[in-house]
Amino acid sequence: METLVQQVLDGLMIGAAYALMATGLTIIFGLMDVVNFAHGEFYMLAAFLLFQLSAVMGVPYFVALPVAVLSVGALGVVVQRTLVRRLRGGSRLNYLYATSIATIGLSIVLQNGAQLVWGAVPKSIPQPFPTEPILLAGVALSPVRLFILLTSIVVIAVLGIGLMRTLAGRMVRATFQDREAAALIGLPVDRIDALAFGGGTMLAALAGVLLGSAFQVYPTMGGLATLKAFTVVILGGMGSFPGAIAGGFLLGVSESMAAGYISAGLKDAIGFAVVVAVLMIRPTGLLPAVRRLR
Amino acid sequence: MSARVRISLGLAVATGAAAALFIVDDAYLMRIATLGAIFAILALGLNLTAGHLGLFDFGYILYFGIGGYTTALLTLRAGWSWEAALVASVLMSVAVGLLVGVVVLRLRGPYFVIATFSFLTVAYYVAINWKEVTNGPLGLIGLPAPAFNLPAIGRVEALDPAGALAIALTGLLIAVAVVWRVVESGAGRAWHAIRDNEDLAASVGIDATAYAFLALAVSAGLGGLGGSIYAGYVGIVTPEIFAFGHMVNVLLMVVIGGTGTFLGPIVGAFLVETVPELLRVAESFRLPIFGLLLIAAILFAPQGVVSLRPWRALRAGRPRVPPVPPVEEGPA
Amino acid sequence: MTDAPLLAVQGLSRRFGGLVALDDLTFAIRQGELVSLIGPNGAGKTTAFNLIAGFLAPTSGRVVYAGRDLTGMAPHRRARLGLVRTFQQAAVFGDQTAVDCVVAGSHVRAEAGIQAGFFGTPGARRDEASRYEAALEVLRLCGLDSRATSRASDLPYGEQKVLGIAIALASRPRLLMLDEPTAGLNAVESESVSAILDRINEQGVTVFVVEHDMRVVMGLSDRVIVLDHGQVIADDTPDRVRADDAVIRAYLGDFDIA
Ligand SMILES: Nc1ncnc2c1ncn2[C@@H]1O[C@H](COP(=O)(O)OP(=O)(O)OP(=O)(O)O)[C@@H](O)[C@H]1O
Ligand SMILES: [Mg+2]
C-alpha cells in the first residue's frame, strides 16, 4: 500500500513536469502550427543554466531558478522573431516542413552546443532542500519532489487563470481558436505569437529546472523529453490544454506504475504503447479540443 | 518532352558519376556513395507521402527498420537467401504500412506527424525489449553478405566496396523506375490534387483515402527495400535502425532537395550523406555547424535546392515557379 | 423519370453547438432546371451545400439524389454520381497550372486505370491526351485558355474563382452546385460566368446556384429558393419571389444596401 502511494506520488511529480512541457508545446503548435522539435532542448538548456548559475557561479538557488527560466523564455522569443516567423509565406505544408527542419536544426545546435560547453558527463544541481523525508500520514515525501509537484501545480493554475481572465490570455485564446478572424479584428497576432513562443519555451524551461533538481542534467536529456511531450499531447487530445494537463499526469503515473510493477526497462515504451492504443480507439485523444481541426 | 530531357540528363550525370567512382575505386568514397544510394531510395519513398500526397510521415523510418529486421530474421533464423528475404521485406513493410495507415490516415497536419512518430517510437522500444526475437539492444549480427553471379558482369559481392555500390545503385534504379511510373500513372495527379486541396479533390470525385493508402503502401515498400539492402550491406541490425537520427536525415534529404520533385530527394540524399563527411575537419564543431547549415538551407532555399536558379534553368517547358513563395491559401 | 426530382432534400437540419444553422429544410430540384438559392448572410446556404454534397453530416433529415438516399455517403462518391459542388472561396489546386487543375478535375472520367497508367499502355496515353484536350476545351469555354500554363495560385482572385468552375465542369457533373460563383468577380467576369451557367444548363446540366447578384438570379433562374435563418421562406418563380412580402422583409431590404 505504501509503495503504491509512493509510486503514485512519484508519477504525479514526473507527470507535473510532463504537463508543463505538453502545455508549452500545445501553446506553440496551437497558435503557430509549429511542431517544436527543439522543445526538449529548451528544457535541457534551462537545467544547465540553473547548474551554471548555482553550482559554478554560486548564485542562490531560488534566484538562479527564475533567472534560468526567464533567460530561456527570452531565447524562445528571439527564436520566434528571427527564425520561425520568417518561415511563413509558403503553403501550409511547406511551412510545416520548414518549421520542422528549422527546429530540428536548432535542437542539434543546442544539444551539441551544450555538450561543447558542459561536456557529456551528467551533472547534479545542488539544491537547498533537506534530504530528510517529511513523513505525512505514514508516507515519506522527499522535500524536493514536493517542491516540484507544488510549483508545477501553482504554475499551471496561474497559467489557466491568466488565460481565462486576463486580456492577454483572451487574445491568446482568440488567436488560438481562429487565427484569421483574430487578425481580422485587429489583434496583433504576430506579437501574440512571440509572447506565446516565449511562454511555451518558459514552460519547458520550468520543467527542466524542476526535474533537473531531482535528477541529473546532461546534454541529450531533451530528446526523450520532446518525445514525452508529444506523447502527452496525443494522449490528452491535440490542441487541448485540459488534455495536455490530464495527459501529463496520466502518463507520469502510468510510467511510474509500469516501472514499479512490470519492468523498469519498459517504462519509456509504455507511454507510446498507450498512445497507439488511444489512437486506435479514440483518434482525437482523451479530451479533444473544441476547435475544428483542419 | 522536357521531362524526358531532364531524365536523360539526370541519368547521364548519374552514370558519369557512378563510372568515375568505379574507376577511382576509393573504398571511402564508395562507402559514402553506397549509403547515399541506399538513403536516396528512402528519400524517394518518403517523398511520395511527404512531397506528393502532402502528409508528413515522421515515422517513415519504421519501414526501413521493418525491412532490416525482416531480412535479418529470415536470413539468420530461417536460412533464406538475401534476395528472397529482400522480397519478403518489401511485402512485410507494405503490410505494416497499410496497418499503420488505418490508424493515422484519419489525422492531418501536425497530428499526423506526431502519430506516425509514435509508431516509430513504439517499434524502437519493441526492438529493444522483445529480446526473444530481436536479441534486444545487441541486435542481430552476422548477416550473410549478399553475393551473386551475374551474367556478363561476373560475381557481385557486398563485401567488396564496388560490389556493394553496384547493389545499392541497382536498388536505387529500381526505386527510381517505380516512383517515376507510379507518379506518372495518374496516381501522381490525384496525390497532387489531394495535397493542394483535399476538399476540392473530393468534390470532383477523387478518393483521398484510397490514394493515401496507395502512397503509403508504395512508400513503405521502398522503405523496406532500402532497409533490406542496408541490412545486407552493414551485416548487422540493431534497434538503432529505428533511430530518430535516420528519420531526421531522410526528412532533410527530401526537404533540402525539394519536396514533391523528382530529382530533389536523390540530390538531397547525396548532399546530406556528403556534407557531414566534409565537415569532419571541423571536429567537435561538426554537428553544431551542420545544425546551422540546416537552418540556413531552410531560410534561403525553402523549396529545396533543386528549386534554386541554376537548376530551374533545366526545367524549361514547365511554367516558371516564381522565386517568391505564394501566399498561404485561405480556408475553404 | 420526369416526375421524380433529381435532387430531393427532406427535412434537413444541422446544428453547430447551440446554433441551428439549418432547420427542417425541404425542397426538390428537377432534372434540367436552373435553380437559385438566395438569402442573407448566415442564412445557411453554404451549410446546405455542405450537407447535400456530403462535406458535413446532417443532424437529421436526408438527401435523395437520382432516386438514391445519400445518407452517410462520402463526398467523392457523390461526385462520381454527378453531384458536384464548387466553393464560396476560390478553390484551386494552387501549385499546379490551370490546365493541370482542370485535368485533375476530370480524374474520375479517366477510362484507363492506374495499372494501365503505370505501364504506360497506348490506351493510357490516349486517355491522358484526350483528357488534356478536353481540359483545354473547358478552359476555352470559361475564357481561361490564355491562362492554361499559369500557376493557379498566381491567377487573380476572379480567375481562380472561374477556374474552380472549370475544374468542376471537367468532372462532367449532372447536377452542378455553385456557391456564389460571381462573388469577387468584376462585371465582365460576372457576365461571362452567367453566360457559362446558361450554356451548360442548355446542354442539359442541372444547375443549383447560390447567388447574391440579383440580375444574375432574376435573369437566369427557372426558380428561386429563399433561405432565412435556416428555413425556406419562399420557393417560386423569380417574379413571384420578387413580389413576396416575407422575402422583401427578410432579404431584399437588406440586399439593397449591398
Ligand atoms: N463549421 C461551422 N461551425 C460553426 N458554425 C458554423 C459552421 N459553418 C457555418 N456555421 C454557422 O452557421 C450559420 C450559417 O452559415 P452559412 O455559411 O451556411 O451561411 P451562408 O448563408 O452561406 O452565408 P454567406 O452568405 O455569408 O456565405 C452561420 O451562423 C455560421 O456562423
Ligand atoms: Mg456561404
Side-chain angles (χ1 to χ4, degrees):
Chain A
M1 187 59 204
E2 257 164 55
T3 47
L4 176 70
V5 175
Q6 203 70 55
Q7 250 139 17
V8 171
L9 280 173
D10 259 9
L12 286 178
M13 173 195 68
I14 309 254
Y18 289 167
L20 289 174
M21 292 283 289
T23 307
L25 203 63
T26 301
I27 292 179
I28 291 172
F29 84 44
L31 276 173
M32 282 157 268
D33 275 341
V34 173
V35 182
N36 182 13
F37 285 97
H39 206 57
E41 271 63 39
F42 288 116
Y43 157 98
M44 173 274 299
L45 190 63
F48 266 116
L49 283 183
L50 177 59
F51 167 79
Q52 180 72 23
L53 288 169
S54 62
V56 180
M57 295 158 66
V59 179
Y61 180 83
F62 289 105
V63 177
L65 189 143
V67 171
V69 172
L70 288 173
S71 317
V72 171
L75 178 63
V77 173
V78 172
V79 166
Q80 196 277 338
R81 295 271 91 182
T82 55
L83 189 58
V84 175
R85 193 169 65 116
R86 293 207 190 182
L87 301 172
R88 274 207 187 274
S91 67
R92 262 171 204 282
L93 189 65
N94 262 321
Y95 175 72
L96 185 62
Y97 294 135
T99 52
S100 298
I101 299 271
T103 54
I104 287 171
L106 185 65
S107 76
I108 296 176
V109 172
L110 290 177
Q111 192 186 99
N112 293 284
Q115 182 138 347
L116 284 176
V117 175
W118 288 289
V121 182
K123 305 274 188 294
S124 295
I125 296 173
Q127 26 93 3
F129 302 100
T131 40
E132 261 322 88
I134 307 168
L135 277 176
L136 212 86
V139 181
L141 293 172
S142 111
V144 63
R145 296 183 173 217
L146 208 58
F147 169 71
I148 293 174
L149 186 56
L150 291 179
T151 311
S152 309
I153 291 175
V154 168
V155 168
I156 289 171
V158 168
L159 184 77
I161 293 169
L163 276 175
M164 300 312 282
R165 296 283 161 80
T166 66
L167 181 63
R170 283 187 198 158
M171 285 185 176
V172 168
R173 279 192 303 137
T175 315
F176 195 96
Q177 282 206 336
D178 191 335
R179 189 184 185 82
E180 273 103 43
L184 216 61
I185 61 168
L187 292 186
V189 286
D190 193 40
R191 261 185 290 160
I192 291 173
D193 280 353
L195 174 79
F197 208 95
T201 43
M202 259 164 68
L203 289 174
L206 183 65
V209 292
L210 292 177
L211 286 191
S213 304
F215 303 105
Q216 286 187 310
V217 182
Y218 49 96
T220 53
M221 69 195 265
L224 197 58
T226 304
L227 298 192
K228 292 294 172 65
F230 284 176
T231 313
V232 170
V233 162
I234 295 195
L235 206 57
M238 289 168 271
S240 144
F241 290 115
I245 294 160
F249 284 108
L250 182 67
L251 182 67
V253 172
S254 34
E255 276 184 3
S256 152
M257 295 299 204
Y261 294 102
I262 306 173
S263 122
L266 267 181
K267 187 183 81 127
D268 291 329
I270 292 295
F272 295 99
V274 172
V275 162
V276 170
V278 166
L279 280 173
M280 297 207 189
I281 301 158
R282 220 181 131 89
T284 50
L286 300 175
L287 298 171
V290 205
R291 106 187 150 128
R292 206 164 79 99
L293 300 179
R294 290 199 46 90
Chain B
M1 223 23 213
S2 76
R4 205 160 292 172
V5 171
R6 265 187 302 145
I7 287 169
S8 346
L9 212 76
L11 273 179
V13 171
T15 316
L21 269 173
F22 284 113
I23 292 165
V24 172
D25 197 20
D26 177 277
Y28 173 66
L29 286 183
M30 282 193 173
R31 185 183 153 73
I32 297 174
T34 305
L35 287 173
I38 293 173
F39 279 95
I41 298 174
L42 295 170
L44 281 168
L46 176 61
N47 189 40
L48 290 180
T49 46
H52 291 285
L53 175 66
L55 283 178
F56 178 4
D57 185 350
F58 202 60
Y60 179 62
I61 283 300
L62 173 66
Y63 310 112
F64 182 60
I66 298 282
Y69 269 104
T70 308
T71 299
L73 289 171
L74 288 178
T75 51
L76 287 174
R77 302 259 164 96
W80 288 34
S81 72
W82 174 75
E83 303 92 289
L86 178 135
V87 174
S89 300
V90 171
L91 296 177
M92 186 71 181
S93 302
V94 171
V96 172
L98 293 174
L99 282 178
V100 170
V102 171
V103 177
V104 298
L105 284 180
R106 289 180 280 187
L107 304 167
R108 293 292 179 270
Y111 311 112
F112 185 88
V113 179
I114 297 180
T116 47
F117 187 54
S118 296
F119 273 95
L120 174 61
T121 315
V122 169
Y124 178 70
Y125 284 110
V126 168
I128 287 183
N129 289 292
W130 197 12
K131 298 205 168 64
E132 300 76 33
V133 174
T134 63
N135 197 28
L138 296 178
L140 301 163
I141 304 167
L143 272 72
F148 5 48
N149 290 311
L150 284 185
I153 295 173
R155 193 156 176 79
V156 178
E157 283 191 41
L159 284 178
D160 165 36
L165 180 59
I167 292 173
L169 286 176
T170 309
L172 177 57
L173 215 59
I174 293 172
V176 165
V178 168
V179 167
W180 172 48
R181 286 323 306 166
V182 175
V183 171
E184 292 287 306
S185 73
R189 278 192 191 283
W191 288 334
H192 296 166
I194 295 163
R195 174 193 68 195
D196 290 346
N197 193 330
E198 192 171 339
D199 281 345
L200 179 60
S203 82
V204 289
I206 296 174
D207 184 349
T209 311
Y211 279 106
F213 271 111
L214 177 65
L216 212 57
V218 180
S219 110
L222 292 175
L225 176 69
S228 184
I229 296 177
Y230 181 77
Y233 175 53
V234 298
I236 166 173
V237 176
T238 72
E240 292 309 310
I241 198 168
F242 293 114
F244 183 66
H246 285 317
M247 185 62 235
V248 170
N249 270 351
V250 178
L251 172 66
L252 294 179
M253 292 166 183
V254 175
V255 178
I256 302 289
T259 49
T261 63
F262 189 71
L263 280 179
I266 305 175
V267 173
F270 286 99
L271 266 183
V272 172
E273 278 299 322
T274 353
V275 171
E277 295 295 330
L278 297 179
L279 288 178
R280 276 190 193 283
V281 291
E283 295 183 358
S284 57
F285 288 93
R286 180 169 81 104
L287 282 171
I289 293 176
F290 183 58
L292 288 174
L293 280 179
L294 293 186
I295 296 175
I298 211 65
L299 278 175
F300 298 114
Q303 315 274 342
V305 289
V306 293
S307 72
L308 294 176
R309 228 163 272 268
W311 283 94
R312 242 184 295 138
L314 287 176
R315 310 168 104 207
R318 286 248 139 191
R320 295 289 153 103
V321 181
V324 186
V327 277
E328 192 176 340
E329 287 158 38
Chain C
M1 188 65 218
T2 44
D3 290 302
L6 179 60
L7 177 75
V9 170
Q10 301 170 353
L12 212 55
S13 299
R14 168 75 202 204
R15 8 173 96 252
F16 293 110
L19 177 92
V20 181
L22 281 183
D23 185 9
D24 198 20
L25 206 64
T26 298
F27 62 82
I29 293 175
R30 284 183 299 278
Q31 172 81 42
E33 271 191 306
L34 195 160
V35 179
S36 293
L37 180 64
I38 65 172
N41 286 8
K45 305 177 296 288
T46 299
T47 305
F49 266 34
N50 280 332
L51 294 181
I52 295 169
F55 285 80
L56 279 176
T59 310
S60 62
R62 54 188 205 139
V63 175
V64 179
Y65 169 83
R68 288 171 75 151
D69 185 347
L70 299 187
T71 305
M73 189 186 279
H76 73 267
R77 293 192 45 219
R78 300 184 195 213
R80 286 178 185 200
L81 299 175
L83 195 168
V84 175
R85 59 86 59 94
T86 68
F87 297 84
Q88 183 168 351
Q89 298 293 318
V92 295
F93 301 119
D95 249 2
Q96 304 175 42
T97 62
V99 66
D100 280 334
C101 286
V102 180
V103 173
S106 70
H107 190 80
V108 297
R109 295 288 153 241
E111 321 258 294
I114 294 291
Q115 291 96 322
F118 184 87
F119 294 110
T121 63
R125 283 155 188 256
R126 265 199 308 278
D127 199 52
E128 172 87 11
S130 78
R131 279 171 62 203
Y132 197 85
E133 279 308 311
L136 287 174
E137 189 55 46
V138 172
L139 283 176
R140 254 192 300 279
L141 170 75
C142 296
L144 286 176
D145 36 339
S146 64
R147 301 297 202 181
T149 57
S150 303
R151 223 172 86 115
S153 58
D154 295 341
L155 296 176
Y157 187 81
E159 289 184 355
Q160 289 193 26
K161 222 37 206 295
V162 179
L163 181 57
I165 300 175
I167 293 169
L169 284 178
S171 72
R172 300 218 208 115
R174 187 169 166 201
L175 169 62
L176 179 59
M177 313 207 304
L178 304 111
D179 198 348
E180 304 198 15
T182 63
L185 267 57
N186 63 35
V188 179
E189 291 168 332
S190 205
E191 193 60 43
S192 103
V193 165
S194 350
I196 296 168
L197 297 191
D198 203 24
R199 174 116 168 245
I200 59 172
N201 184 235
E202 255 160 36
Q203 290 171 356
V205 178
T206 309
V207 177
F208 187 30
V209 55
V210 172
E211 190 47 83
H212 272 310
D213 186 334
M214 277 325 211
R215 276 164 311 172
V216 179
V217 172
M218 296 302 162
L220 285 178
S221 320
D222 298 320
R223 197 149 56 83
V224 178
I225 297 174
V226 187
L227 215 56
D228 189 27
H229 295 300
Q231 293 178 319
V232 175
I233 58 166
D235 178 352
D236 218 325
T237 61
D239 285 335
R240 274 191 259 162
V241 163
R242 198 176 358 213
D244 188 305
D245 282 345
V247 175
I248 292 169
R249 258 198 318 278
Y251 183 76
L252 288 183
D254 146 66
F255 174 74
D256 279 343
I257 305 160

